[in-house]
Amino acid sequence: MATIANTVNKKWLAVDLFSGSGAVTTGLKQEGFEVVAAIDSDQVACKTYSLNHPEVKLLTEDITKSNPMDVHAVLDGRVLDLLVVCAPCQPFSSQNRKRAESDPRVELIFECVKFAKLLNPTVIFFENVPGIVNAGLLDLLEGQLKKFGYKLSAPLKIDAATLGVPQRRERCILIASKSNGVVESFGLALRPVKPKTVRDAIGFLPSLCSGEESLDPLHKARKHHSITLERLKHIPKDGGSRSSLPTHLQLSCHKNKKNDFPDVYGRMRWSDVAPTLTTGCTDLTRGRFVHPEDDRALSLREASLLQTFPRDYIFYGNSGQVARQIGNAVPVEMARHLAAHLKDLTTTHVLN
Ligand SMILES: C[S@@+](CC[C@H](N)C(=O)[O-])C[C@H]1O[C@@H](n2cnc3c(N)ncnc32)[C@H](O)[C@@H]1O
């Protein structure tokens, strides 16, 4: 058995595969982990990552070409406690009409095996969308990891809202470890925490009109067309939807189709959690992404706060690129919460 943290005071070490803009790394650091290395192929997300986490060895490369020896060198003989694997979820997402088998990104999750083989992490943590369970690849993953002594836990479906994230976001999480105790106890001690609301997350930010900017460059409202502003005036504050639009303001594609995409043009509700933020989270035609009171779509800062990024997180890129990084992120608070759970599990089952 790999000896994880040899003393309780030791720094917990992690490697973040598919690190994106660094949400998981932020959660791990908040929980006291030292993230020694991270890998992602997206140059823009990597720029964001390095602006916020300059101390981490970041490899901006296609993971299929990565050499685990590069990460091994950074570890410099230290035991790796946690290998994080947040492979792209688009191939398994219910919104993706493309069949999973025809999307080459399906295979990316298996890239973790070469890292597990060389780095021997105590726990491997996977996060993805629930659709991954039906994609028929978890058995294959289990088979590949088993060759190196790892057991895969049962997948656990979890809503980020139950872990203190002000957002409904159903995810599938699972772990692999060489310790039976760790694998069998995974998730058992996770208890829902008091829900956080949209008001808790963004209620303190200054109100904005369409097109208005604030001192924070990310808290800036999109400029809407006059017809869009006219529509927004008719959407009731605090949770209203496009079903309140008078006939002359309804979009022709929505006429007589109240049940098709009912969230489009919908407002968030102050006292509720937000809906799942996607890469279109600042576009009111892509979901319930209208501010609860202001007549405008969410700002990028509001979207990042609903994903529980720190208030001062720096994002690199144009507004579309930043929205993509935010929508693709694992909520920071979810990552932090799960990191704490994994620390408890390994302390109980590996250290003792
Ligand atoms: C679900 S996102 C990861 C989110 C990230 N863990 C976070 O905390 O915000 C998936 C990531 O996989 C990256 N990716 C996709 N294909 C890749 C590849 N071939 N090699 C490395 N990274 C890749 C994407 O750039 C994206 O950032």
Side-chain angles (χ1 to χ4, degrees):
M1 168 65 52
T3 53
I4 168 182
N6 292 322
T7 71
V8 175
N9 295 327
K10 159 196 177 298
K11 196 85 172 158
W12 295 68
L13 302 187
V15 168
D16 189 357
L17 303 184
F18 308 100
S19 49
S21 54
V24 167
T25 288
T26 307
L28 291 173
K29 282 165 62 176
Q30 288 174 351
E31 204 43 52
F33 279 78
E34 177 184 340
V35 179
V36 293
I39 300 182
D40 201 285
S41 58
D42 182 324
Q43 308 252 356
V44 177
C46 283
K47 181 88 186 179
T48 295
Y49 188 102
S50 51
L51 285 170
N52 292 281
H53 308 288
E55 77 288 1
V56 180
K57 170 79 179 169
L58 173 65
L59 300 164
T60 306
E61 61 192 19
D62 178 351
I63 201 164
T64 63
K65 313 254 164 38
S66 294
N67 183 349
M69 281 305 285
D70 295 340
V71 178
H72 190 255
V74 187
L75 274 167
D76 195 22
R78 294 173 294 170
V79 171
L80 177 62
D81 300 301
L82 181 63
L83 178 68
V84 175
V85 187
C86 298
C89 52
Q90 291 87 348
F92 316 110
S93 152
S94 56
Q95 289 167 352
N96 191 356
R97 309 228 161 126
K98 227 166 129 186
R99 290 183 61 77
E101 2 359 325
S102 63
D103 188 329
R105 289 174 298 181
V106 166
E107 301 288 329
L108 288 173
I109 196 166
F110 297 106
E111 292 299 319
C112 71
V113 178
K114 67 187 181 195
F115 290 90
K117 181 181 173 190
L118 183 70
L119 307 177
N120 194 27
T122 306
V123 175
I124 311 172
F125 170 78
F126 301 89
E127 185 268 0
N128 215 289
V129 289
I132 197 169
V133 174
N134 308 321
L137 49 74
L138 293 183
D139 287 348
L140 286 173
L141 182 65
E142 185 170 31
Q144 292 203 18
L145 287 170
K146 199 172 164 190
K147 290 185 204 155
F148 306 106
Y150 286 90
K151 291 165 220 58
L152 196 62
S153 73
L156 190 64
K157 205 164 111 176
I158 193 156
D159 183 347
T162 64
L163 300 181
V165 177
Q167 184 194 158
R168 254 181 304 278
R169 196 174 181 94
E170 291 243 299
R171 283 302 187 257
C172 173
I173 52 173
L174 55 162
I175 61 162
S177 174
K178 295 182 181 179
S179 156
N180 277 329
V182 169
V183 170
E184 283 159 17
S185 310
F186 176 60
L188 296 182
L190 281 176
R191 296 278 174 273
V193 303
K194 187 170 174 279
K196 291 246 167 58
T197 65
V198 171
R199 191 187 294 282
D200 294 333
I202 64 168
F204 66 93
L205 286 172
S207 167
L208 295 174
C209 302
S210 160
E212 190 179 351
E213 300 187 12
S214 73
L215 290 176
D216 173 358
L218 279 199
H219 188 47
K220 172 178 161 187
R222 276 180 175 226
K223 187 151 179 54
H224 298 297
H225 289 297
S226 53
I227 178 78
T228 305
L229 289 171
E230 195 54 32
R231 287 191 180 107
L232 289 174
K233 273 193 216 154
H234 286 83
I235 310 280
K237 305 286 183 200
D238 206 8
S241 73
R242 68 177 175 81
S243 64
S244 301
L245 288 178
T247 316
H248 73 282
L249 286 176
Q250 286 173 14
L251 280 95
S252 46
C253 57
H254 291 158
K255 277 195 180 137
N256 305 320
K257 290 185 188 163
K258 283 207 165 121
N259 297 328
D260 279 7
F261 306 106
D263 283 342
V264 163
Y265 273 87
R267 282 188 196 276
M268 293 189 180
R269 196 183 287 282
W270 281 127
S271 59
D272 199 355
V273 292
T276 306
L277 295 193
T278 63
T279 54
C281 56
T282 57
D283 182 345
L284 42 75
T285 67
R286 308 261 304 266
R288 185 170 287 277
F289 300 140
V290 181
H291 188 270
E293 271 172 55
D294 297 349
D295 288 341
R296 61 171 175 86
L298 283 191
S299 71
L300 288 165
R301 182 63 75 197
E302 287 164 340
S304 77
L305 290 171
L306 292 167
Q307 280 280 56
T308 57
F309 278 101
R311 172 77 180 88
D312 56 355
Y313 208 74
I314 306 163
F315 287 92
Y316 177 79
N318 61 35
S319 47
Q321 291 167 327
V322 173
R324 180 159 51 82
Q325 293 170 62
I326 294 172
N328 276 340
V330 176
V332 172
E333 180 58 12
M334 180 175 180
R336 190 202 62 73
H337 209 96
L338 293 169
H341 175 56
L342 294 176
K343 260 167 77 172
D344 286 349
L345 274 187
T346 42
T347 305
T348 309
H349 295 280
V350 184
L351 282 181
N352 292 338

